[in-house]
Amino acid sequence: MGMYAALRVAQWVVGKALAPVADGVLGAWADTKNFGPNVEALSTELLWVKATLEQAALKELGGPAMEMLLQKLLDLAHNAEDLLDELDYFRIHDELHGTYDAADKHGEGSVRNLALNARHTAKAVGKLVNCCAWQRAKRHQRSCNNSSSAPNANQEVSGCMPKLGKLLPCSCFPHPHVGDGNRGNEQETPKLEFNRVDLSRRMKGIAEKLQLMRNEVSKILIHCGPRTVPDITQIRPITKGRIDEPKLYGRDHVMNSIIHDIIEGQYCDKGLTVLPVIGPGGMGKTTLIQHIYTNQQVQNHFPVRIWICVSFNFNLDKVLEEIKRYTPAVEGEKDCIRAEELIEQRLKSTRFLLVLDDIWEFTDVDDWKKLLLLLGKSQEKGSMILVTTRQKEIADQVKKIEEPKELNRLDPEEFRKLFLVYVFDVEQYPRDKHHLLHIGDEIMEKLKGSPLAAKTVGRLLRRDPSLAHWRRVLNSKQWGKQTNGIMSALKLSYEFLPFYLQQCFSYSALFPEDYPCRSHELISLWIGLDTLIPTDEDPTFEGIGLSNIKELINHGFFREEETVDRPRYVMHDLLHDLALKVVSHDCVSFPLPNVGLVKVQPSTRHLSISTEKLGEYDVVSGEKLISELEELKTTLKVEHLQTLMLFGRMHECFAKIFCEFFAEATALRVLYLPMGSVLHTFSGLIHLRFLCLGTRNIRVHLPLRISKFYHLRVLDLEMWYGIGDFPEDMSKLAKLCHCYIPRRRYAELCFDIYDVRKLKLLEKLKVFRVNKKSEGFEPKQLEYLTKLWELGIYNLEKIHIGDEAAEAKLIEKKFMRRLTLDWDSERSDVEPDVEEVVLESLQPHGDLQVLCIRGYGGPSCPTWLGDLWDLHELRLKDMARLKEFIIGKSFCVLIKLELIGLASFEKWVYPTELESSLGGEVLPTDAHMFPLLQVLIIKKCPKLSVLPFSDHIVSSYWFPKLQELEIHDCPEFSSVIPISWIESLRRVIIRHVKMLMEFTYSKLSAGVEFEIIGEYDVHSLDQVLAFDKEIGLEKLTLSRCPPLELKNLLMLTSLKTLIAGNSVSLVGPLGGQDGLEWHLPIEYMRIKGLDGYSGKELTELLPHLPRLSKLEISYCKNIKKLVVGMGLQQTTSTTSEVEEDEITTAEEEEDDGVLLFPATLCDSLRELDMSFCLGIVLVDQPTLVSGGAWLQALRSLQTLSIKCCRKFLSTFSFSRHLFPSSLQFLTLWYVKGMRTLEPLSNLSSLTRLELLNCGEDLKCQGLQSLITTGGQLNELEVRGSHRFFAGWDPVEGEEQQPHLISSKLQALRTDDVVGLFAAPICSFLSPALTELQLSGESFLFPFFAMERFSKKQEDALQLLSSLQQLAFWSFDDLQQLPARLGNLARLKTLSIYKCPAMSSLPNDGLPESLQELRVSLCGKLEEQCRELVNTIPKIIIE
């Protein structure tokens, strides 16, 4: 941390320390002759320190000594903060309990005063005796090893803080009285005691130390000159319109897309276009634009090109001067005129390209508008402005229509090439550098695809290509110290932030890397650390927190990721490292068990630990963890910790160790334990601001002592699944702002706050149940909660009078943004008139943004709904009597609308001024229908038949922003959804409506997709889809649908994928084009379960698909014959009489299920899959194509799969080659008749072969040619032919040097165990075979029992010395594994599945090389394997 950053932090801490005395309440409480002066002296000294720090910020400071002095001053400020915060805690306690600990005199007289003072003095003396609780960790460790009993719930922890009792028991263990359900059995909290003498002494000591340190700093400041603030714009290099990197990696598609759109695409015919390119620092924005700028096509396209590096401040005058400088003069231009007029003259008839690189901010947004107005006067079409920026806000300001191009991390393969170029000048590891490959991959993983990071680290690594140097770079992250490296680039963005955003961003690094934070998690942390300061304009933490998140997104420090419920926020790539770097003086975050790699400073106050990789507990791992934590404690001052966050679950005995280690952490502000790993056993959490507790143990009680944390502002119990009631005195937490209860179980548990009116700072009260008790839960309680941001009121059926509801005074809650009003939807009695009055009385403030009404029994929506002019989300659910939905004018900013369970809803009602002369049935085409709506969800509305627009009239004004549409369980709904004219639409899901089982639409980067599952009353697809509007459709899936008509097919000019099934026909008649040739761009077609004349339909369709490369046909029972290489169109003058006879015969047999593959398919088809067409036979017919008969005619085929087509090869004699030599992957299931592999000997490119149940008599003769010289086969699976290898001698007949012949086969899966384990075969396979799976049953059917391996088979297995993976599957009778497995020195993975008779592993042990052991469904063997935990790196037992 730099000097001035340390100054800002110190000022912030001093400000926090002064907060308790700012309003004078604490001073008044302590204003006695013996105590008040100490408080006054300390607060005065803090003011002096604050003033000194403010002066220091104006001076030129330097040197490590000054930094050390500032650190000591900071430590003292923290101590003062703790002390005054502790004092304020006892003030609150006195207020709540009427105690007199801080009073100077007592009402009972001087004797009582003397006793009181004596007691305080005695406590001060006793406090000098302090013991360390951490030494008990060894005893707890032994208790974990010897007993599973719960620890003593009454155990105390000794420490330096005044003992407040054990405020939180450990959650690893159930409550001792969990069975009786009586919370009264829990031990009563010990009475709080206040040591006035000790506090007075401590305050005096800190004030004196502060004064001493302040005086020393002041002496130095006298001799310091005024600070010279560096010009941040000088730090940034000036970019030029030339290529700095000769090759562009990983951005080619983006560059080519932009160039295409500029020259001949969407931008070329438009007026002035602005295209922003955004991304974090170091992502290659400038490099991309440089390659576009210097592209020869771009240069030819633009007579004028201008490159301006803007950097921090967009100065219009400077920009105009640069434009004038680079714009060539035109004939007749006037001299001595303003720059704007000169530029207008020069560019009036010229197409130009302007690059504005690296914009950070606009001093005046109007300057940008002025520039656009000036440049937009050019009369030439196609001019462009390309803008690069790191900030989303800037991109949104500069864009006109086009969405920004966002650059994120490079693709891993492209990044690898770029990284290696920077290190070795080549895109692959040189042969003599392969020893660096593993460590290099680890380094690349940490660089997160950042091009600048690749350049920075590449420079470091190429200096010294040694393993030791590369390891040092990996572990020390030296690239962070490079002056022109990635961290410098990112830190520049950080320094550009205001201080409050710097704090929020940097402390967010306490969440693990790539952790998807919810907004309330970030805001809760910031509240706990006092980084959010309410203002008069926005006095709520929630409002400020959300604003900060938005700013950090705009500045590029977080990216927003949409999830099912709410958005999540993730730090951009290397920014997490940056955040940890800038707060390394007081923050540490690390995953276990990497304690040894952590650098902890004595000043560390914030600690985050991830326990995901801690593993299973045993004696060794427990001792190791204790040892590592003890080492950590040599530098970490646990008693100074203000934040403790644990992520991930852990064994209860690990939890005990952590409980003991952190027992002295009594200064905590933030305690985050969402996974129930451990609950704090500390005794004095009096400073706590943010507490997050979670557990999945349903027997664990929620600690009652939560109500003693008087400083608590956030309580998060969303992940709490244990037993829990709030204590009745929760209303004592007067500072509580946010309260989150379990999301899915709140109805069953009693998470209600009695007398909630006392919590006047409360901002989030998600559940308030009306009249649950006779007192303390009436609506009037809500009157006093004026800062509410979110509120949920439940059990509203218990309110019968409008005046009672009005007592909540929701209309006065001007900060409330989210409101839920809930009636019990399963109640027996409904009073519509009463509920209507109650709902009208619950009118919220007009600034409400999210409203949910559930279970309401009234006949109409509330009249005040039209007054909510800032409403973003509206959810109406289970409102059985609502018949009409009025589209109010106030819905102009609505973003999300949900209508669910509206049993009577059938009509949309429009505002009077929007209704047309047709009686209100059709809106005017220019009516603005939900102009900002993005999500529309309608479910369980049985009477609704249409959306709020006509089927036949479309308008760009209707739903212009809609992205998601869902309609479920609306049986009368029958509208055709005019999807194409809603350009913004990304996803549509319609289920269980009239004529449709399911209709889905998605618009992704891969293209537009439709899936339609029809009902039997659909007679034409025109009833559900407007084909003439869907010309951009790229993927169409049809099921249970009528056939596609030719007129509709011809409209799908972009269709690449067609999937159809469970229907009678695929297409209707394809004639009627008057002989005109037509084609479709379909590349992939899958047909499944067509019951009609599917052979005839496909025969007619396939000639019109010249690009078809992948074809899958399954479950088509009426396809009987397959003929390859000819079609009905082959009737040219060169056709022989023989061919004509064959065609005539084929035509006559169409009704018999003949499928003809046309000649065009022979060159285009790459993949063919025929499955479960039980009657299909391959017919040999003369063809007009070269390459041979049968399937050899498909000369481009690479992947062929024939599954469960038993008759497919029944007419084949197997005396010649059957398949094309181009095949790389071949799968045959239940294809009978092939006795050897000789018919496959021509497949020199084959790499994978799968043969399942292709005959018990199938033998491996012919395999040798596929796996030796000339063959490429490296993966073979053969099952159901259990004599496949029997009698095979791989080198038989090899007269010359048979010892030089070896196999290329790398992976083998077989059930022919007996035949395989012969010495000649295993010797032959040994050099390359790394993966072997042995199966005790054939595909689907068991065929023999095997109890043990013979000595001969065990000897043969030993010959497979290259094995790395070995698996035994489904040996029901196998009692033991082969002996001497330990000799397989390269074996890394051993898998045993479904071997129930096996009870033990080999007596002679397993290989030392073994990295992973997987055991599943193996009975007793699983118990033995569990004992091997920690002797093998990874053991998986299922």
Side-chain angles (χ1 to χ4, degrees), residues 1259-1361:
K1259 306 298 287 289
C1260 68
Q1261 274 66 32
L1263 174 64
Q1264 184 175 354
S1265 65
L1266 299 175
I1267 60 177
T1268 56
T1269 304
Q1272 301 294 328
L1273 189 67
N1274 55 49
E1275 187 176 351
L1276 171 65
E1277 179 171 359
V1278 183
R1279 287 192 280 159
S1281 302
H1282 61 274
R1283 294 186 55 77
F1284 184 75
F1285 292 105
W1288 183 43
D1289 187 350
V1291 297
E1292 184 179 3
E1294 298 292 339
E1295 299 178 357
Q1296 296 182 349
Q1297 298 180 315
H1299 61 283
L1300 297 180
I1301 301 174
S1302 61
S1303 164
K1304 297 179 180 179
L1305 195 66
Q1306 298 175 8
L1308 173 62
R1309 290 179 282 280
T1310 182
D1311 50 20
D1312 183 14
V1313 180
V1314 176
L1316 174 67
F1317 284 144
I1321 297 176
C1322 290
S1323 296
F1324 174 66
L1325 297 177
S1326 176
L1329 194 67
T1330 59
E1331 180 184 343
L1332 175 61
Q1333 178 182 306
L1334 304 174
S1335 178
E1337 66 180 16
S1338 68
F1339 184 57
L1340 301 180
F1341 304 107
F1343 63 90
F1344 79 101
M1346 182 176 185
E1347 295 183 356
R1348 62 183 65 248
F1349 289 85
S1350 67
K1351 175 69 165 54
K1352 183 179 178 181
Q1353 291 168 344
E1354 291 174 342
D1355 291 343
L1357 177 60
Q1358 292 296 311
L1359 297 174
L1360 299 176
S1361 56

Side-chain angles (χ1 to χ4, degrees), residues 169-174 676-680 694-695 697 700 720:
C170 186
S171 75
C172 306
F173 312 99
S677 315
V678 54
L679 283 190
H680 210 28
T695 182
N697 189 339
V700 176
W720 185 268

